[in-house]
Amino acid sequence: MHSQTLDLNLLKVFDALLEERSVTRAGARLGLTQSAVSHALNRLRYSLGDDLFLRDSRGMTPTPRAMEIGPRLRAALDALQAAVTPVTFDPATSDRSFSVVAGAYACAVLVPSLVSRMSETAPRTRLEIGEVTPSLVDDVDSGRVDFVIAGFESVPDRFVQELLLAEQLAWIVRTGHPLTEGPVSLADLLRTPHVLVASRRPPFIQSPGRGALVMRSTYEDRGAFESEVAKRGLERRIGVSVPDTYAALAIVARSDMAALIPRRLALLSAQGGRLQLIDPPYESPAVEITLLYRRDRLEDPAIAWMRELMLEVAKEL
């Protein structure tokens, strides 16, 4: 296929099929019938000399050639969209929707202040909070997700991660728990069964040909507690493992167990009077909460504005 004969509509069909992996969903996204999508795909197959997509039980699976073309075509379409999109963004009048993937911690600690600031400065904008899914890499690449707030061990080079918060951790127990009666030692903590907060999601979120995000699966302090326990030849007792901090807080409030959670979230939870904080009786490093996004998306003034707003809100916290 020569540049002089490129049909932009065919390329948009290809891009939609690569993201949706379904003729039906690609057609709905583009406002085309299934027949029109199939016809466009046949023209692409002829022009490029490759099947591009093979139908199987999972839908339309891209061939290696399609996976090779995809990222470069996505970048080209993004550049074309940027070229014809007005470069101004007025938060006071915009009805732009922003998509952010965030967990329980960010939703409790950061998002309320962010929503308050948005309602003041950009009252017509909309914020959509989603959860981590296996398609996260593809979603950030395609622009379906604008930002991710989480902790990462490593990310592909095309992504940026910026520090939002350095979060200290604290142990939390129910009000009236024996540990609240005096100074707490490591041995005291180890006599108490623990609620372990550990995500059930796989630490690696991959996309064929696009690399992987390696996410931190727990808020525990990079092994500082476990290391201190092992150094003294002791053992901890885990009574319950849960996927998120809210489950841990609910269990701790109704039991004699203890949980190690982010300090800001612990302080919010303790305001109701049912829970109390205990400072770790050992060196406990801060956990970094970061903001992740596609590097090239800062060319969009709206994305640049939202990034600045989130950084400002985090700084105020």
Side-chain angles (χ1 to χ4, degrees), residues 80 108 152 192 194 292:
L80 180 59
F152 300 92
T192 301
H194 300 157
L292 178 136

Side-chain angles (χ1 to χ4, degrees), residues 154-183:
S154 66
V155 302
D157 289 341
R158 65 187 179 279
F159 296 149
V160 175
Q161 58 171 334
E162 295 186 272
L163 178 65
L164 277 178
L165 296 168
E167 179 64 270
Q168 297 292 334
L169 301 185
W171 288 91
I172 195 161
V173 295
R174 65 170 175 81
T175 298
H177 191 286
L179 289 180
T180 63
E181 296 174 1

Side-chain angles (χ1 to χ4, degrees), residues 10-11 100 178 180 199 207 277 317:
L10 296 184
L11 300 182
V100 178
T180 63
S199 172
S207 176
L277 275 67
L317 291 174

Side-chain angles (χ1 to χ4, degrees), residues 101-103 105-106 132 136 148-155 161-165 201 203 205 213-219 222 287-292:
V101 166
Y105 168 84
V132 173
L136 181 61
V148 183
I149 301 174
F152 300 92
E153 300 294 344
S154 66
V155 302
Q161 58 171 334
E162 295 186 272
L163 178 65
L164 277 178
L165 296 168
R201 67 171 181 260
I205 300 177
L213 289 173
V214 183
M215 304 187 73
R216 195 170 56 236
S217 60
T218 177
Y219 272 115
R222 294 191 174 274
V287 175
E288 293 186 346
I289 312 300
T290 56
L291 179 68
L292 178 136

Side-chain angles (χ1 to χ4, degrees), residues 39-195:
H39 180 66
L41 178 57
N42 287 332
R43 290 178 60 191
L44 279 167
R45 284 168 168 164
Y46 175 78
S47 299
L48 295 175
D50 187 270
D51 284 334
L52 297 177
F53 295 91
L54 302 175
R55 191 182 300 276
D56 58 24
S57 60
R58 294 171 296 178
M60 301 295 286
T61 298
T63 66
R65 175 65 172 148
M67 294 304 300
E68 175 190 354
I69 295 171
R72 289 180 289 174
L73 176 59
R74 176 72 262 168
L77 290 174
D78 286 343
L80 180 59
Q81 182 64 42
V84 298
T85 300
V87 297
T88 59
F89 170 73
D90 182 1
T93 59
S94 174
D95 59 359
R96 174 74 176 257
S97 178
F98 296 95
S99 173
V100 178
V101 166
Y105 168 84
C107 286
V109 173
L110 184 71
V111 171
S113 296
L114 178 62
V115 170
S116 177
R117 288 287 299 277
M118 289 177 68
S119 65
E120 295 171 359
T121 60
R124 296 177 61 189
T125 59
R126 177 182 176 187
L127 182 62
E128 298 178 355
I129 304 293
E131 59 185 357
V132 173
T133 67
S135 64
L136 181 61
V137 174
D138 290 334
D139 291 341
V140 178
D141 271 328
S142 68
R144 287 192 295 263
V145 167
D146 298 316
F147 300 96
V148 183
I149 301 174
F152 300 92
E153 300 294 344
S154 66
V155 302
D157 289 341
R158 65 187 179 279
F159 296 149
V160 175
Q161 58 171 334
E162 295 186 272
L163 178 65
L164 277 178
L165 296 168
E167 179 64 270
Q168 297 292 334
L169 301 185
W171 288 91
I172 195 161
V173 295
R174 65 170 175 81
T175 298
H177 191 286
L179 289 180
T180 63
E181 296 174 1
V184 176
S185 68
L186 182 62
D188 293 329
L189 269 179
L190 294 177
R191 282 192 288 270
T192 301
H194 300 157
V195 180

